[in-house]
C-alpha cells in the first residue's frame, strides 16, 4: 500500500512539472470571507438534498435513513424506501426530471421518472444490480451532439462505467455499458460539464482531473487541482458540481470546506462549513443568474445553504472543451457489422479495402492492414479468415484482372514500412491471398497508398506517398507469371499526405494532405504533374487529420467520402467541382447489436456493389481507432450504404 501511495505522488508530481497551479495562485484567507457568504442551516435534515423547479413549482428531493422523499412546500408528495446514496438528477423537459441513486445495501442502481403533474409523480424506471464495481458516485451526461443520454458509475477502486440510457430520444430496454474508464484508485466524486462534454473526477484528497465525457473520445486527462503544497486541496473531495460559467465547486469532507475553482483550476474562494463535522453531499440550484449551494452529510444533519451570488454563463475555455469537437448536431448512423478485434491493443489497424467475389457477393472479403504484423482478411460475417505476416503494412487497395503464375488473379497492393516497398498480393477466384513479391521504392518514409486502373489503357498503377509530401506512381506489369513495378511519374504536396483514392473511369487522383485538405491530380501516367487544392480543412466541416478517402458511384452521382479524424466524423463531398459538402455524420453505438461507434478513424473504403445479405447496396467500412464494448483491439465497422443514401436524399 505504501508503494502504491508513493507511485501516485510521483505521478502527480510529474504532471505538475508541466502545469502551473498553486505556485501562481492567490486566494483570500478563509477567515476574511464575508459573513454574508457563511453557510446557513435550513430546516431539512438529509444525507443528500436537491432543490429544483419544474413547471414553475419548487420541489425538494432528499434522502434519509428511510429512503428517497420528494416534497413540495414541506408536503410529502412521493417517496421510495431504501438506503440510498449519491442522489443525482437530470432535467429532461421543463416539467420532468430523471433521478438516479444507488442503494448501498444491494449496490443497485435506481432510476426514476419524476413527473409532478402525473397522478403518480415518481415512477421507477429501473432497478439494476451493478456487479462490475462498488459505486461511489453517479453523474449524468446528455450529449446533444451525439443524441445520447448516459450515466457514469464511479468506483473507488480505479474504474468507472458509462451506461447508455437513451439514444436518439429512444430509451433502451436495458442500460448498456458503452465505455469502461480507467480512473485513479480512491476516486470519490464525479461531475459533468454538459456544455463542454468534460467529465471531472476527484481522486480523494490528491487531485481533481478532467476527462472527456463522450464515449468515443480520447482517454487522455488534464489536471485541474492538486493537494497542498502544490495546490489548494486539503481534505478528501466528496462531491463536485459544475456551474454555468464552467467553474467547479468541490466539497471537502473533513473539515467541511467548499472550494470554488475557475475553469482553469485557479482557486476563486474557499468557505468553511463548521456546522458539519463531515460533509458528503453537494447540489446547486440555479435561478436566473444566481445560484445556491446545498451541503449535506451522511449523518443527515441539518442541510447547509450557501448563497453563491451572480453566476454568469460563459463559453468554456479550450481546456474544458474536448479537442477539435464542435457542438453542431450531426447525423448519427449505426453500424450493423463489425470485424473481430485485432489481437493486440493499441494503434494497430489502419486501412481497409474490399475484394468482390466474381460471382457470389456474400463471399466477398475485407482486407485490413496491421501496422505491426501484416495483412488480415475478414469474411462478410466479420471473421478473420486469413493472416499474412509480411511486415508493417500501412495502406492497402485492390484492383482486378492481372495474370499471375499463368492464371488470372486480382491484385492487392500495400505500403510496407519495413523497407519502404510495395507489397503485392495475388487473389485467386476463391478469395485466397498469396504473397506475390515486392517492388522497392525510392522513399524514405513510405505511408499512404491507392491503386488506379486506367480505363483508357487497362494498365494497373499504384500511387504511394511519403511523409515528406512525395507521391510516386508505379506501373504494375506482368509477364504471365510474376509482377514487377516501374516508376513512371512523381508528384508532390507541400506537407505530409496519407489517404488517397483514384477514379478509374475519369482518370482522377484525390490525395489527402493531413493537416491542410484534399488535392486533385490527373491520374494518367503521361499527365501533367501539377495538382489543385480543392477542399481545405476548416475546423468545422473538415477537421484535421484528413485520413481515409474513398469514392462511391450512385447512378450519375459520384461522392468523395473522407474521414475527418479530428472530430471523429465523416464528410461526403461531391466528387466534381465545386466539391460541395453534402453530409456530415458520425458512426454511433448500435445498442441492439451491441456494437460501439467508431472514432479516430484512419482508413476507410466504400463499395456500392452488393456484399451479400445486409449489404445488398454496398457498405462503408471504417477503421475504429477506439474499439469499446468491451475495450479491446481495434477493428472495422460496417455501415449500410443504403442508410447513407437515405441521408443524402433528404
Amino acid at each position: 500500500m505504501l508503494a502504491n501511495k508513493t507511485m501516485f505522488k510521483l505521478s502527480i508530481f510529474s504532471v505538475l512539472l508541466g502545469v502551473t497551479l498553486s505556485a501562481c495562485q492567490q486566494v483570500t484567507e478563509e477567515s476574511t470571507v464575508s459573513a454574508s457568504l457563511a453557510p446557513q442551516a435550513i430546516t431539512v435534515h438529509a444525507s443528500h438534498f436537491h432543490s429544483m423547479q419544474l413547471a414553475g413549482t419548487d420541489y425538494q428531493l432528499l434522502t434519509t435513513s428511510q429512503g428517497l422523499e420528494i416534497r413540495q412546500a414541506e408536503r410529502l408528495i412521493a417517496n421510495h424506501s431504501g438506503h440510498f446514496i449519491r442522489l443525482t438528477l437530470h432535467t429532461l423537459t421543463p416539467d420532468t426530471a430523471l433521478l438516479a441513486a444507488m442503494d448501498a445495501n444491494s449496490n443497485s442502481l435506481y432510476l426514476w421518472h419524476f413527473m409532478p403533474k402525473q397522478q403518480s409523480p415518481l415512477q421507477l424506471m429501473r432497478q439494476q444490480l451493478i456487479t462490475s464495481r462498488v459505486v461511489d458516485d453517479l453523474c449524468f451526461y446528455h450529449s446533444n451532439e451525439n443524441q445520447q443520454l448516459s450515466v457514469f458509475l464511479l468506483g473507488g477502486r480505479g474504474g468507472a462505467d458509462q451506461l447508455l440510457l437513451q439514444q436518439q430520444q429512444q430509451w433502451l430496454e436495458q442500460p448498456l455499458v458503452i465505455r469502461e474508464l480507467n480512473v485513479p484508485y480512491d476516486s470519490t466524486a464525479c461531475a459533468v460539464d454538459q456544455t463542454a462534454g468534460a467529465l471531472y473526477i476527484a481522486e480523494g484528497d490528491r487531485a481533481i482531473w478532467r476527462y472527456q465525457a463522450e464515449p468515443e473520445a480520447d482517454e487522455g486527462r488534464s489536471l485541474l487541482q492538486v493537494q497542498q503544497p502544490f495546490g489548494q486541496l486539503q481534505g478528501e473531495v466528496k462531491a463536485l458540481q459544475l456551474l454555468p460559467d464552467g467553474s467547479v465547486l468541490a466539497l471537502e469532507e473533513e473539515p467541511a470546506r467548499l472550494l470554488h475553482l475557475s475553469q482553469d483550476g485557479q482557486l476563486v474562494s474557499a468557505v468553511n462549513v463548521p456546522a458539519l463535522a463531515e460533509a458528503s453531499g453537494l447540489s446547486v440550484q440555479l435561478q436566473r443568474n444566481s445560484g445556491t449551494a446545498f451541503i449535506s452529510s451522511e449523518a443527515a444533519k441539518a442541510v447547509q445553504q450557501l448563497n453563491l451570488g451572480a453566476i454568469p454563463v460563459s463559453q468554456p475555455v479550450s481546456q474544458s472543451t474536448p479537442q477539435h469537437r464542435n457542438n453542431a448536431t450531426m447525423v448519427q448512423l449505426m453500424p450493423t457489422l463489425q470485424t473481430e478485434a485485432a489481437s493486440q491493443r493499441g494503434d494497430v489497424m489502419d486501412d481497409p479495402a474490399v475484394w468482390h467475389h466474381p460471382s457470389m457477393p456474400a463471399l466477398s472479403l475485407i482486407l485490413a492492414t496491421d501496422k505491426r504484423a501484416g495483412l488480415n482478411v475478414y469474411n462478410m460475417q466479420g471473421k478473420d479468415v486469413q493472416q499474412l505476416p509480411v511486415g508493417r503494412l500501412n495502406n492497402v487497395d485492390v484492383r482486378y484482372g492481372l495474370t499471375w503464375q499463368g492464371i488470372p488473379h486480382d491484385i492487392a497492393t500495400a505500403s510496407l514500412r519495413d523497407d519502404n516497398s510495395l507489397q503485392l498480393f495475388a487473389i485467386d477466384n476463391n478469395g485466397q491471398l498469396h504473397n506475390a513479391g515486392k517492388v522497392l521504392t525510392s522513399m524514405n518514409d513510405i505511408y499512404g497508398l491507392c491503386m488506379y486502373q486506367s480505363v483508357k489503357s487497362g494498365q494497373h498503377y499504384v500511387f504511394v506517398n511519403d511523409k515528406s509530401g512525395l507521391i510516386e506512381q508505379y506501373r504494375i506489369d506482368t509477364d504471365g507469371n510474376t509482377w514487377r513495378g516501374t516508376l513512371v511519374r512523381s508528384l508532390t504536396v507541400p506537407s505530409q499526405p496519407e489517404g488517397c483514392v483514384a477514379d478509374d473511369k475519369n482518370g482522377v487522383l484525390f490525395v489527402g494532405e493531413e493537416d491542410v485538405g484534399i488535392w486533385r491530380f490527373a491520374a494518367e501516367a503521361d499527365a501533367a504533374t501539377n495538382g489543385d487544392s480543392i477542399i481545405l480543412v476548416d475546423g468545422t466541416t473538415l477537421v484535421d487529420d484528413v485520413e481515409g478517402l474513398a469514392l462511391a458511384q450512385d447512378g450519375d452521382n459520384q461522392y468523395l467520402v473522407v474521414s475527418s479524424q479530428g472530430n471523429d466524423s465523416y464528410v461526403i463531398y461531391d466528387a466534381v467541382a465545386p466539391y460541395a459538402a453534402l453530409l456530415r455524420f458520425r458512426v454511433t453505438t448500435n445498442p441492439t447489436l451491441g456494437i460501439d461507434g467508431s472514432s479516430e478513424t484512419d482508413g476507410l473504403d466504400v463499395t456500392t456493389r452488393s456484399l451479400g445479405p445486409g449489404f445488398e447496396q454496398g457498405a462503408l467500412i471504417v477503421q475504429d481507432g477506439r474499439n469499446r464494448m468491451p475495450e479491446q483491439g481495434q477493428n472495422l465497422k460496417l455501415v449500410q450504404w443504403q442508410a447513407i443514401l437515405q441521408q443524402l436524399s433528404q
Side-chain angles (χ1 to χ4, degrees):
M1 181 62 72
L2 179 61
N4 285 341
K5 289 185 177 180
T6 302
M7 290 180 66
F8 273 118
K9 290 182 178 180
L10 289 173
S11 175
I12 292 174
F13 181 76
S14 66
V15 174
L16 289 170
L17 295 177
V19 300
T20 302
L21 281 174
S22 61
C24 298
Q25 295 173 338
Q26 299 294 326
V27 62
T28 306
E29 293 295 329
E30 293 171 32
S31 59
T32 66
V33 173
S34 169
S36 64
L37 295 180
Q40 301 293 324
I42 63 175
T43 59
V44 177
H45 290 67
S47 54
H48 290 85
F49 177 86
H50 292 265
S51 180
M52 69 179 306
Q53 189 175 89
L54 290 177
T57 303
D58 291 321
Y59 299 93
Q60 295 179 334
L61 295 77
L62 57 127
T63 57
T64 69
S65 59
Q66 303 302 311
L68 169 67
E69 296 182 3
I70 300 180
R71 302 176 184 175
Q72 178 192 349
E74 300 185 359
R75 180 175 63 91
L76 181 66
I77 65 170
N79 68 326
H80 199 288
S81 60
H83 183 200
F84 296 118
I85 61 171
R86 293 302 190 182
L87 175 66
T88 188
L89 58 90
H90 175 73
T91 301
L92 295 172
T93 69
D95 55 4
T96 64
L98 182 65
L99 312 182
M102 291 297 300
D103 187 303
N105 292 334
S106 65
N107 202 47
S108 294
L109 171 66
Y110 281 74
L111 294 168
W112 298 274
H113 251 142
F114 177 42
M115 299 174 287
K117 293 184 178 181
Q118 301 295 320
Q119 185 174 0
S120 300
L122 188 64
Q123 296 183 7
L124 181 63
M125 293 178 60
R126 184 161 304 283
Q127 174 186 348
Q128 181 169 339
L129 177 66
I130 304 300
T131 59
S132 58
R133 64 189 81 255
V134 175
V135 178
D136 289 282
D137 202 3
L138 303 165
C139 46
F140 284 114
Y141 175 48
H142 182 221
S143 171
N144 286 320
E145 182 182 2
N146 287 328
Q147 303 171 50
Q148 292 180 327
L149 174 63
S150 57
V151 62
F152 288 97
L153 307 182
L154 178 67
R157 296 298 182 263
D161 296 325
Q162 186 172 8
L163 266 65
L164 182 64
L165 305 175
Q166 185 189 75
Q167 180 165 295
Q168 297 175 340
Q169 300 183 346
Q170 298 294 318
W171 291 98
L172 274 61
E173 291 186 7
Q174 292 283 343
L176 179 68
V177 176
I178 55 174
R179 183 184 181 192
E180 299 173 20
L181 291 84
N182 293 318
V183 299
Y185 194 87
D186 284 341
S187 292
T188 50
C190 66
V192 177
D193 185 332
Q194 305 290 337
T195 301
L199 168 68
Y200 292 83
I201 291 179
E203 183 187 0
D205 63 353
R206 297 186 180 98
I208 300 174
W209 299 95
R210 181 193 292 113
Y211 296 78
Q212 294 193 42
E214 287 292 340
E216 289 290 341
D218 186 271
E219 296 175 338
R221 63 180 183 175
S222 60
L223 185 63
L224 185 75
Q225 254 288 354
V226 72
Q227 67 182 180
Q228 292 183 341
F230 301 108
Q232 298 293 345
L233 299 184
Q234 295 178 2
E236 184 172 285
V237 176
K238 295 298 288 186
L240 297 169
Q241 284 288 321
L242 268 292
L243 298 179
D245 62 353
S247 61
V248 180
L249 294 180
L251 179 66
E252 293 181 336
E253 180 182 29
E254 184 183 3
R257 191 172 74 131
L258 185 65
L259 308 181
H260 183 194
L261 307 173
S262 66
Q263 294 183 61
D264 58 359
Q266 302 293 316
L267 184 59
V268 178
S269 66
V271 178
N272 284 322
V273 190
L276 298 178
E278 295 181 353
S280 59
L282 174 65
S283 65
V284 174
Q285 182 182 30
L286 301 171
Q287 290 183 319
R288 297 180 181 176
N289 291 328
S290 65
T292 304
F294 296 95
I295 304 165
S296 57
S297 63
E298 289 295 342
K301 301 295 184 181
V303 174
Q304 302 293 305
Q305 174 180 296
L306 178 65
N307 179 20
L308 301 175
I311 304 174
V313 178
S314 62
Q315 294 296 321
V317 297
S318 59
Q319 285 181 317
S320 297
T321 305
Q323 185 179 17
H324 295 314
R325 304 188 80 89
N326 61 75
N327 292 324
T329 300
M330 199 177 293
V331 170
Q332 308 292 317
L333 297 174
M334 292 188 292
T336 56
L337 181 70
Q338 64 179 341
T339 64
E340 291 180 327
S343 58
Q344 292 180 308
R345 295 283 295 272
D347 188 19
V348 174
M349 189 174 287
D350 194 286
D351 186 48
V354 174
W355 174 78
H356 287 275
H357 190 277
S359 59
M360 302 177 68
L363 297 182
S364 299
L365 300 170
I366 302 170
L367 285 54
T369 57
D370 185 324
K371 290 185 282 192
R372 300 293 184 269
L375 192 72
N376 292 336
V377 182
Y378 301 91
N379 64 19
M380 288 313 302
Q381 289 75 49
K383 303 297 183 183
D384 191 344
V385 295
Q386 189 179 3
Q387 297 177 337
L388 296 103
V390 296
R392 298 181 301 127
L393 299 182
N394 205 69
N395 285 29
V396 64
D397 206 358
V398 172
R399 287 300 186 272
Y400 299 87
L402 195 64
T403 300
W404 182 72
Q405 293 189 350
I407 302 172
H409 282 74
D410 300 324
I411 179 173
T413 309
S415 48
L416 180 57
R417 301 181 72 173
D418 289 345
D419 58 6
N420 295 301
S421 68
L422 307 180
Q423 173 65 54
L424 308 179
F425 300 96
I427 311 173
D428 62 33
N429 282 342
N430 295 319
Q432 194 73 13
L433 273 72
H434 309 271
N435 189 332
K438 294 190 291 189
V439 175
L440 295 178
T441 73
S442 61
M443 296 189 165
N444 295 317
D445 200 353
I446 201 169
Y447 208 38
L449 173 148
C450 56
M451 295 194 69
Y452 170 59
Q453 187 171 0
S454 170
V455 171
K456 182 171 69 174
S457 66
Q459 186 66 55
H460 292 76
Y461 296 94
V462 177
F463 289 99
V464 63
N465 58 55
D466 186 280
K467 288 187 176 182
S468 66
L470 173 65
I471 305 166
E472 291 185 338
Q473 183 175 2
Y474 287 83
R475 187 182 67 244
I476 304 299
D477 298 306
T478 180
D479 61 7
N481 289 301
T482 59
W483 293 338
R484 63 182 182 276
T486 303
L487 177 64
V488 295
R489 192 169 61 135
S490 295
L491 314 169
T492 60
V493 293
S495 64
Q496 179 174 311
E498 183 180 7
C500 64
V501 64
D503 177 355
D504 295 352
K505 180 179 178 181
N506 297 304
V508 175
L509 171 70
F510 297 94
V511 177
E513 187 182 2
E514 288 196 351
D515 295 333
V516 179
I518 300 172
W519 289 78
R520 180 187 187 277
F521 294 87
E524 287 294 333
D526 57 358
T529 58
N530 59 301
D532 298 312
S533 176
I534 59 170
I535 298 169
L536 293 176
V537 165
D538 59 8
T540 302
T541 301
L542 185 60
V543 182
D544 59 320
D545 288 351
V546 178
E547 290 285 340
L549 273 66
L551 288 167
Q553 189 76 39
D554 179 58
D556 295 332
N557 299 314
Q558 189 180 45
Y559 304 110
L560 178 63
V561 186
V562 184
S563 60
S564 176
Q565 189 183 69
N567 65 346
D568 299 330
S569 71
Y570 310 89
V571 189
I572 297 183
Y573 296 91
D574 262 329
V576 295
Y579 309 104
L582 305 175
L583 180 66
R584 298 169 60 232
F585 65 95
R586 288 201 173 98
V587 176
T588 190
T589 311
N590 188 323
T592 302
L593 297 179
I595 304 175
D596 67 304
S598 65
S599 53
E600 203 178 30
T601 291
D602 286 325
L604 56 77
D605 198 10
V606 171
T607 179
T608 57
R609 295 170 58 184
S610 174
L611 294 174
F615 299 99
E616 289 83 357
Q617 296 189 48
L620 166 69
I621 304 106
V622 301
Q623 180 259 9
D624 182 12
R626 305 184 189 101
N627 186 24
R628 312 204 190 284
M629 296 172 54
E631 299 282 342
Q632 53 185 346
Q634 296 174 337
N635 70 351
L636 303 174
K637 303 292 196 291
L638 277 72
V639 178
Q640 295 172 332
W641 182 248
Q642 177 61 25
I644 297 173
L645 287 179
Q646 289 174 355
Q647 294 295 327
L648 287 168
S649 65
Q650 293 181 4

